[in-house]
Amino acid sequence: MLQGKLAVITGSTSGIGLGIAEELARAGADVVLNSFTNNDADHALADDIAARFGVAARYIAADMSKGAECRALIAQAGRCDILVNNAGIQFVAPIDAFPAEKWDQILAINLSSAFHTTAAALPMMRAAGWGRVINIASAHGLTASPYKSAYIAAKHGIVGLSKTTALETAGQNITCNAICPGYVLTPLVEAQIPEQMAVHNMGRDEVIAKVMLARQPSREFATTGQIGGTAVFLCSDHAAQITGTTISVDGGWTAL
Ligand code: NAD
């Protein structure tokens, strides 16, 4: 279905980004994986996707906290038919104890990176006459929780950026939407468990049941494959008139 398309997925050596890269490759797209680490293991992940799905896959290092590197990633990819802005980090603390440098870092990686990559990719999409921008927001792009001020501000921001991108590309065979996952058990979520245990003074199982999945009525984590499948759908012809909106994959979280 996506043969001949090149997808660039930011922050895709782990978790949701890797799941999206795998599902886009399964659908026939060539993929560019990204993170800032540039390890042998990062390049091996791309080789593995190429071997498993019979597509072209490569890894390009770029730090999504730096605007120039975001733009260089797209330039180095050479073309960009599908842009998935996925790179993201989390930090949990009350606002009055939230380190200012963490606020800046989260806003840069979770929001500003998408502005820079989108700015670099849109001219390529317009030249190709087709494009898909998929921003990975969160249930926290639509609702809030305590202690995650920077993350929630950035995720609400990327929902707004998605709407503006959609309006500026309407009628050009380009769409832009935000996927809003609930909790997906990835390394990012694993890292939050000790922080949440400290903030709430609870054990691991109690934090998972009473804090994390308490707001996810299905009481099940979403999977990286389900987020990837949603991205594939957004790239399909069936989704050609879906633009400027959010798709929740959250087990009912935002229905509450
Ligand atoms: P993860 O920690 O497993 O993966 C994050 C990826 O981003 C990694 O590949 C990491 O190397 C990369 N990355 C981090 N900082 C980077 C930087 N400065 N430059 C380039 N790459 C960088 O996280 P995840 O859970 O897969 O989250 C991916 C996205 O999904 C994030 O935007 C996150 O906010 C969002 N999200 C996650 C969940 C969840 O429950 N896991 C829920 C909603 C939204």
Side-chain angles (χ1 to χ4, degrees):
M1 176 185 120
L2 296 176
Q3 281 77 11
K5 308 291 190 202
L6 179 71
V8 179
I9 307 106
T10 71
S12 45
T13 55
S14 161
I16 291 172
L18 183 56
I20 292 171
E22 288 175 334
E23 292 307 318
L24 290 173
R26 194 191 306 280
D30 296 328
V31 296
V32 170
L33 301 186
N34 155 262
S35 71
F36 62 92
T37 44
N38 210 7
N39 296 326
D40 288 348
D42 298 323
H43 294 271
L45 276 176
D47 294 343
D48 177 58
I49 287 181
R52 277 195 290 147
F53 301 110
V55 298
R58 65 198 158 115
Y59 169 85
I60 300 177
D63 184 345
M64 292 297 106
S65 70
K66 299 186 169 76
E69 292 196 28
C70 297
R71 290 170 189 259
L73 167 66
I74 303 302
Q76 224 179 310
R79 62 181 292 179
C80 183
D81 305 295
I82 299 163
L83 170 63
V84 183
N85 288 305
N86 169 78
I89 60 167
Q90 176 64 280
F91 189 82
V92 178
I95 291 173
D96 47 345
F98 209 94
E101 63 274 15
K102 278 285 171 200
W103 170 276
D104 291 342
Q105 190 186 18
I106 289 175
L107 268 287
I109 296 172
N110 296 22
L111 177 57
S112 299
S113 67
F115 158 69
H116 292 293
T117 54
T118 302
L122 286 184
M124 295 177 176
M125 292 179 180
R126 289 191 177 111
W130 189 94
R132 294 286 186 269
V133 181
I134 300 171
N135 292 326
I136 306 305
S138 168
H140 281 132
L142 303 168
T143 63
S145 299
Y147 313 124
K148 297 182 176 177
S149 55
Y151 187 86
I152 285 160
K155 293 301 187 182
H156 277 69
I158 205 164
V159 169
L161 176 65
S162 305
K163 292 178 186 176
T164 300
T165 305
L167 294 180
E168 292 188 15
T169 56
Q172 298 171 18
N173 228 6
I174 299 168
T175 69
C176 178
N177 295 284
I179 298 176
C180 295
Y183 271 110
V184 185
L185 194 56
T186 65
L188 179 142
V189 169
E190 274 293 346
Q192 285 177 55
I193 294 173
E195 293 166 8
Q196 292 279 15
M197 286 166 63
V199 168
H200 294 280
N201 196 23
M202 290 179 181
R204 179 186 166 87
D205 291 348
E206 208 181 356
V207 154
I208 290 175
K210 292 189 178 166
V211 178
M212 295 180 152
L213 296 184
R215 294 178 66 182
Q216 200 144 311
S218 67
R219 300 285 185 266
E220 291 171 15
F221 284 110
T223 68
T224 59
Q226 289 162 354
I227 309 301
T230 306
V232 170
F233 166 67
L234 286 172
C235 293
S236 72
D237 289 342
H238 292 109
Q241 288 301 318
I242 299 176
T243 194
T245 192
T246 57
I247 297 191
S248 292
V249 186
D250 67 2
W253 178 333
T254 46
L256 278 176

